Amino acid sequence: MAAEIHARPQSSRPVLLSKVEGHQDAVSAALLIPKEDGLITASEDRTIRVWLKRDSGQYWPSIYHTMSSPCSAMSYHHDSRRIFVGQDNGAIMEFHISEDFNKMNFVKTYPAHQNRVSAVIFCLVAEWVISTGHDKCVSWMCTRSGNMLGRHYFTSWASCLQYDIETQHAFVGDYSGQITLLKLEQNTCTVITTLKGHEGSVASLWWDPVQRLLFSGASDHSIILWDIGGRKGRTLLLQGHHDKVQAICYIQLTRQLISCSADGGIAVWNMDISREEAPQWLESDSCQKCEQPFFWNIKQMWDTKTLGLRQHHCRKCGQAVCGKCSTKRSSYPIMGFEFQVRVCDSCFESIKDEDRTSLATFHEGKHNISHMSMDISRGLMVTCGSDRIVKIWDMTPVVGCSLATSFSSH
């Protein structure tokens, strides 16, 4: 259960401050306690634990509470010290933590879902607990009465959730790769729109209410930026991870996006520049460069007595091209392609060396990451996953010292 403490070398990568061990199964969620040297963890081993940093520099559990079912999601509201824990059996349990973080009292159980809870958000203004689950629904319940207010069903598992308090809009990502935007009312809801762009299940969402931007990470290894406020839909595709993107956090102050993937990859994206949107892929019956027919274009194959070719797409211009006209590969970070992708030969010639300069930094978390959360004011990040380990990182070398100086000046 002890934590390893590391010195803080000057570097431009995340610095591992502590490694907290003790859970007997995957850690589903870990949250740093604001203004305290402590964190709260929820695990598949059916325990919620509050860890406080001792004088020795090690984290030890001050609260160790066993649940009736594995813990799958968690939300913590610091000002009211209320914890909401989603479970594998579909229930959400509310607890209240004492001021010294040494005692936790049970408040009530919410029968939110019929299956595993995938995300929980508590809204103090409305006194609602909003959640998604593997019973293919989003539910919202009154925290005063404990009663169900409403449910909305999807065609596949609901996997992640974000909520805009001001407009009462909920964003729900699901296993089909779709994101549904809902307006929640007291006892009903309205589907505003459905966002389609991912080729795999949506694993994480982040809503920035200031710029009204939505970020989504998915099992297709990509991140999509959606301009909700400008009603422009998908405006950016970011590809730099080699595994499913499990967690994302946008730092509005420094215009940086932090993303974590299942293989332990941690990426920090510079969003403070004008980027280009990846083009829509064009469809054609023949190569748009050499005009050779693709293999389904039987008429042109017959007329020209040639074998049909396989269709590819240039990631820079979106044109449908054959393999001979797209022999080159290139990164193109301004469009979100951090590693080499297929481009047509003419686009390859147009890409200058400076165009290949990376607009993100990539780091190794060295453990499976299924959940991440940030304490932006302190520049701290906590990661956890199936390897049962929780890691606390100093992110200020990567996201810049502007975080600490900005917050300390207020």
Side-chain angles (χ1 to χ4, degrees), residues 197-199 220-224 234 236-242 245 259 267 269 275 278 281 315 331-333 335-342 358 360 362:
H198 283 294
E199 295 175 11
D220 59 9
H221 307 180
S222 71
I223 298 161
I224 293 179
R234 187 184 109 171
L236 204 59
L237 176 71
L238 302 175
Q239 293 188 324
H241 285 286
H242 297 281
V245 182
S259 56
W269 307 81
R275 289 179 177 265
W281 285 3
R315 302 306 193 268
S331 60
Y332 195 53
M335 204 174 267
F337 299 118
E338 285 288 336
F339 41 62
Q340 294 195 340
V341 291
R342 181 185 294 272
S358 179
F362 297 91

Side-chain angles (χ1 to χ4, degrees), residues 246-282:
Q246 303 269 50
I248 46 182
C249 173
Y250 178 62
I251 304 175
Q252 208 269 329
L253 186 73
T254 59
R255 300 289 199 277
Q256 287 168 302
L257 177 72
I258 298 174
S259 56
C260 298
S261 54
D263 61 359
I266 300 170
V268 181
W269 307 81
N270 178 12
M271 306 302 291
D272 197 24
I273 51 162
S274 180
R275 289 179 177 265
E276 292 178 23
E277 184 184 357
Q280 295 293 320
W281 285 3
L282 303 175

Side-chain angles (χ1 to χ4, degrees), residues 337-381:
F337 299 118
E338 285 288 336
F339 41 62
Q340 294 195 340
V341 291
R342 181 185 294 272
V343 291
C344 66
D345 292 354
S346 55
C347 278
F348 182 82
E349 297 301 324
S350 73
I351 299 173
K352 304 182 187 72
D353 284 344
E354 56 264 32
D355 294 336
R356 295 185 176 92
T357 304
S358 179
L359 297 174
T361 58
F362 297 91
H363 315 277
E364 281 297 323
K366 295 184 178 175
H367 77 140
N368 164 263
I369 300 175
S370 61
H371 182 270
M372 167 269 283
S373 68
M374 287 278 299
D375 182 336
I376 295 172
S377 64
R378 291 187 286 179
L380 297 176
M381 179 177 77

Side-chain angles (χ1 to χ4, degrees), residues 271-303:
M271 306 302 291
D272 197 24
I273 51 162
S274 180
R275 289 179 177 265
E276 292 178 23
E277 184 184 357
Q280 295 293 320
W281 285 3
L282 303 175
E283 293 302 323
S284 177
D285 289 331
S286 56
C287 175
Q288 293 180 299
K289 295 295 181 183
C290 69
E291 299 184 351
Q292 287 290 303
F294 293 131
F295 63 82
W296 60 82
N297 188 351
I298 297 169
K299 184 180 184 305
Q300 191 181 342
M301 284 163 54
W302 179 264
D303 292 345

Side-chain angles (χ1 to χ4, degrees), residues 210-226:
V210 178
Q211 292 180 273
R212 305 201 69 74
L213 301 173
L214 181 71
F215 298 86
S216 58
S219 63
D220 59 9
H221 307 180
S222 71
I223 298 161
I224 293 179
L225 165 60
W226 310 85

